[in-house]
Amino acid sequence: MGDLKRQSPVRFASRPISTEVRDHWVVALAYPDEGPGPWLVDLSHKTRWDLQDGALDDRTPAGLAVPSRPGDCRLQDRVLVNRMNRTQAAVWHLKHEDAPGLPAEPGYTEVSEATVFLGLLGPKIFTIAEKLSALDFMDPKRTPPFLLQGPFSHVPCQLVTLTRNADGTGALLFACSRGYAQDMVAAVSAAGSEFGLRPAGETAFQRCLDALSGTSPVS
């Protein structure tokens, strides 16, 4: 098991300038010339579980109650639980450190290596997203974090508006089938080119989460 390697399906045009190995993934911490944003971040190394149960309201993944309504999300201690439908939820571990192993309870399936997981962070990200989907990430009736499911660049996705500000700065996380990874990166990069979209690493993403917890601003 010592030589086990887990590989992200994402390839950016530039190489990271800082990396670390975590749970057999090579995690990019920073890229050259990340600039002031917006940023596209590869989060495929983050552990993600699918949870299915006919009594989903009684489940507490990572100690969090599953939200009662489809589309609602719960974020606590950098764990995000997204209610998808009556019997299904997604559990995304967003912490810097390795996530715990597969829970012993029935109903969980780890989907980390079956999907690609990306984040759009910083200014103008919802303007970029509007070029790729008709989904309403700025719905004034919804309070972040909230989940939308549907086409993004014509690909079925789970998308969470994690945070948004009146000036258009925010964070959008999305996951889809692993096989679409490079097409998705190309589409998002093209849509964001006029706004200076650049790849960024784990450090930029953790700064975003720090801002959500009130410990530092999104920059």
Side-chain angles (χ1 to χ4, degrees):
M1 294 294 288
D3 59 353
L4 176 67
K5 293 184 179 179
R6 306 173 78 183
Q7 191 169 54
S8 169
V10 171
R11 296 291 180 272
F12 291 135
S14 61
R15 289 179 172 270
I17 57 174
S18 177
T19 64
E20 71 178 27
V21 176
R22 191 184 313 152
D23 193 24
H24 304 287
W25 297 91
V26 177
V27 179
L29 300 179
Y31 282 84
D33 303 319
E34 289 184 349
W39 303 286
L40 180 61
V41 181
D42 178 18
L43 300 170
S44 299
H45 58 281
K46 299 292 185 185
T47 301
R48 302 177 301 287
W49 297 328
D50 180 85
L51 172 60
Q52 298 191 45
D53 193 326
L56 200 58
D57 291 338
D58 298 330
R59 302 300 291 268
T60 55
L64 300 180
V66 175
S68 58
R69 297 186 307 174
D72 284 354
C73 303
R74 181 163 284 121
L75 175 65
Q76 183 176 308
D77 193 26
R78 307 199 178 194
V79 176
L80 185 65
V81 179
N82 313 316
R83 181 68 177 252
M84 298 172 64
N85 53 47
R86 186 181 65 83
T87 62
Q88 188 176 18
V91 184
W92 295 349
H93 279 262
L94 307 179
K95 299 180 181 182
H96 174 76
E97 64 271 14
D98 296 347
L102 188 70
E105 311 98 284
Y108 288 96
T109 303
E110 185 175 343
V111 296
S112 308
E113 292 183 89
T115 57
V116 60
F117 188 31
L118 295 163
L120 268 172
L121 313 176
K124 303 292 185 180
I125 64 161
F126 297 109
T127 302
I128 296 170
E130 286 174 356
K131 297 171 69 173
L132 297 166
S133 178
L135 297 172
D136 189 359
F137 304 106
M138 297 293 288
D139 184 351
K141 298 178 182 178
R142 306 290 301 275
T143 300
F146 63 87
L147 170 73
L148 294 174
Q149 299 180 79
F152 191 71
S153 187
H154 308 290
V155 175
C157 287
Q158 299 175 40
L159 305 107
V160 172
T161 297
L162 190 65
T163 182
R164 67 181 179 208
N165 299 323
D167 63 0
T169 301
L172 178 68
L173 308 182
F174 55 103
C176 66
S177 177
R178 180 184 177 98
Y180 291 109
Q182 282 310 108
D183 289 337
M184 184 64 73
V185 168
V188 175
S189 298
S193 61
E194 66 176 295
F195 304 107
L197 180 70
R198 298 178 183 180
E202 169 89 9
T203 301
F205 178 65
Q206 294 301 327
R207 284 203 307 266
C208 174
L209 295 184
D210 288 342
L212 281 176
S213 63
T215 58
S216 70
V218 173
S219 58

